[in-house]
Every structure is written in C-alpha cells, then in structure tokens.
C-alpha cells in the first residue's frame, strides 16, 4: 500500500466527516499549511468547490501539489 493511497483514503474520510458540518461560501478559499503533496487538499477542493493554496517547506512536494492544481502562495518580499 502506498503513501498516496493512504492519503487518498484519509482525504475521503475527512471529506465525509466535514460535509455535514462545514458550510463554505461558493468559491471560498482554503489554506493548507504543511500540505505535503496536496492529495488531501485536492480532494477537499473537489468536494467543497473551494480554491486551495498549499504551504510546505519541501519544494518537491509543492511541485506535486502544483500538478494537482494547488499553487503555493506568492512569495513575500522582505521589508
């Protein structure tokens, strides 16, 4: 069993848990901090019709999330 398969199962369980209690406006936004490859966020974006953004310290994981349609936030320039 792969890590991705476990993430997909977890995402499905989380979506089922949240569906009855989570009320999001159409085109709402979701921020996933420590979102890894974005598998869980991609499922929640699909289930709830929101736009997702991922923050993760690993560039390779952010690249995977980008392929799922989850961009990282724009860089913040120092003052």
């Amino acid at each position: 069993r792969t890590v991705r398969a476990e993430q997909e199962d977890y995402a499905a369980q989380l979506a089922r848990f949240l569906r009855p209690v989570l009320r999001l406006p159409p085109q709402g936004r979701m921020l996933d901090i420590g979102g890894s490859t974005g598998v869980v966020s991609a499922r929640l974006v699909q289930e709830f019709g929101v736009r997702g953004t991922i923050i993760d310290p690993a560039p390779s994981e952010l690249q995977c999330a980008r392929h799922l349609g989850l961009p990282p936030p724009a860089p913040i320039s120092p003052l």
Side-chain angles (χ1 to χ4, degrees):
R1 186 154 162 93
T2 66
V3 171
R4 182 173 180 128
E6 289 178 1
Q7 290 174 336
E8 289 170 349
D9 287 348
Y10 170 73
Q13 291 172 6
L14 183 60
R16 280 192 302 274
F17 174 78
L18 292 174
R19 177 144 311 279
V21 296
L22 193 60
R23 303 288 179 243
L24 297 171
Q27 294 301 313
R29 295 181 183 177
M30 176 187 66
L31 175 62
D32 187 350
I33 299 172
S36 184
T37 59
V39 170
V40 174
S41 289
R43 176 64 180 257
L44 297 178
V45 164
Q46 176 187 3
E47 290 281 332
F48 296 102
V50 295
R51 290 181 292 169
T53 299
I54 294 251
I55 294 175
D56 196 276
S60 62
E61 296 203 353
L62 287 175
Q63 186 64 30
C64 292
R66 255 188 226 105
H67 288 298
L68 293 175
L70 300 162
I76 300 172
S77 56
L79 298 175

